[in-house]
Amino acid sequence: MACTHLHDLPEVVPDSRRCEACIEIGAEWAQLRMCLLCGRVGCCDASPNRHAAKHAADCGHALVRSVEPGDSWRWCYVDEEYV
Amino acid sequence: MTATEPDRVARIHARRVARLREQLLDEDVPLPLDAPQAQVLLEELDYASHPPVHEDRAPRYGSLVSFGARPHWSDLSVPTRLESAGTDLALLRKLADGRASFVVRTADGTAGLVCFDQSLEYEASAVRLRRETGAFVVQRTRDGLVRACGPDGVITWDSVQWSFKPLAEHHAAPIRRLAPQVDPDVLEGLLELSVHWLGAGRVGATLVLALAGDPRALPHLELASAVSVAPLHVTRREHFPALLSVLGQMDRAALVAADGGISTLGAGLQWSERSSVLVAPTNGTRHTSARRFSFDEPSSLVIVVSEDGPTTVYSDGATTTVVRTDACRVGDIATVGTPAIPDPAGETDVVCAVCRKVLLVDAVHFDGWAGGPDEQRCPVCDSVVVIDAYRAAIRGVRKAL
């Protein structure tokens, strides 16, 4: 089923090039994702704290994109699919 | 045995398999544990870990677990195949030594036995068997090591921890991105030889691949003590045992021509004063000489296999890739399964101001980003490289075509 969360995405700019939530608690991360609704950057699901997914759950922002160099894919946490 | 004993044994077995699944999940072991057919794979891993002990001896064991309806038998030369629907699986398992005989288990629940006329005991054989059958190859070796070879790589349990080594073939693409002129079959053969034969056999070696012309013409070779051999070839797997044998008994480098032929062994590697200044010592003499030589010889790739297993590819003074076994909990396996969707718009070249090598860079750009350029270290000379991007990663040195 096609993702229904893609409509009217704003132009956003990442708020950091680090996972600030990990920095606060002294944690490390594997890769970074950016919220496509607000630009919040958080760590990926392979990282210990999964801050990008927590942000999506807390704020209801379903879509992220990878901000790893060379990656451009997007993921919907609600529909659990690449979009 | 009481009437309830089989049920009790079955319950114990089911609980053990469930515990194994939890352990594999907890340790991030890259196996498809959520696939519908995963139960069969778990049962085989469990059996390989806990085979019945007879006269104080735990036997070897082997099985092929197919997630499809059938392994690709047509591609195999299998002298004996026994279809054995209805045969007791416990008895079939006693026939499977994991070297030349294997239980076959398929997703539809059928079981069988295949017997080969040669030993497939070693990692290199398991890798090829997996490729040719499309099945997971599960083995318990003479030393009690449990090994599962799947589409991502080789997973092992050594009674202490689960470890993972990616298949050599998965490392070909990033190397070809930097050196597109390399013959794909030659590169694949070189990597398979290095990772699954030499590395798995703990044979240290250095191989210099010339990307064009006669490898003996590379200016920074010292050939006074080199020897010539009848041409062996890295694209011919039947030559690998001979290469494994001779490289295990000789120091210095083997020279590989662009077509994969090896006819010179025992070549010495030399390098310039500039290379000594710019390229730092790396992991001992063998690695340092290989890396510095590669700086001076941009029309080559240098592959170093360490005696403790890892394979490193050097190009233009930089480490292009390292293939090694990592404990699953601490290894760099987070990207296994991540879809590789290239973003050509983000690819760019940057010249290092110090060593002058052309660096292949993947970058992410955002209009409106005000955090300044990214800074990375040159993989050749370790100087700071400023890249005008939100984030950037240097993939290596791009070879001139």
Side-chain angles (χ1 to χ4, degrees), chain B residues 32-64:
Chain B
L33 299 175
D34 293 324
Q37 305 94 329
Q39 182 66 19
V40 176
L41 180 59
L42 285 167
E43 288 175 7
E44 289 305 306
L45 285 170
D46 174 68
Y47 185 84
S49 306
H50 303 88
V53 175
H54 182 67
E55 295 182 345
D56 292 332
R57 241 187 310 188
R60 303 170 196 246
Y61 178 64
S63 65
L64 306 178

Side-chain angles (χ1 to χ4, degrees), chain B residues 375-387:
Chain B
E375 292 184 353
Q376 298 287 319
R377 291 280 178 178
C378 174
V380 179
C381 63
D382 201 39
S383 58
V384 173
V385 179
V386 178
I387 302 164

Side-chain angles (χ1 to χ4, degrees), chain B residues 225-249:
Chain B
S225 56
V227 295
S228 296
V229 292
L232 298 166
H233 220 279
V234 299
T235 61
R236 299 182 62 176
R237 269 66 183 180
E238 69 270 28
H239 290 182
F240 285 10
L243 288 167
L244 177 70
S245 178
V246 73
L247 292 174
Q249 299 174 63

Side-chain angles (χ1 to χ4, degrees), chain B residues 251-275:
Chain B
D251 291 326
R252 314 183 101 190
L255 305 185
V256 187
D259 67 356
I262 296 180
S263 57
T264 302
L265 304 171
L269 306 185
Q270 300 174 319
W271 56 90
S272 65
E273 182 62 28
R274 184 164 181 259
S275 179

Side-chain angles (χ1 to χ4, degrees), chain A residues 15-51:
Chain A
D15 65 358
S16 175
R17 56 163 61 112
R18 312 180 301 181
C19 177
E20 298 297 342
C22 281
I23 297 287
E24 282 182 19
I25 60 175
E28 295 182 344
W29 62 88
Q31 296 189 345
L32 296 178
R33 313 287 181 242
M34 181 187 76
C35 174
L36 286 171
L37 273 296
C38 68
R40 176 71 173 176
V41 171
C43 55
C44 67
D45 285 359
S47 304
N49 294 288
R50 305 182 177 191
H51 284 121

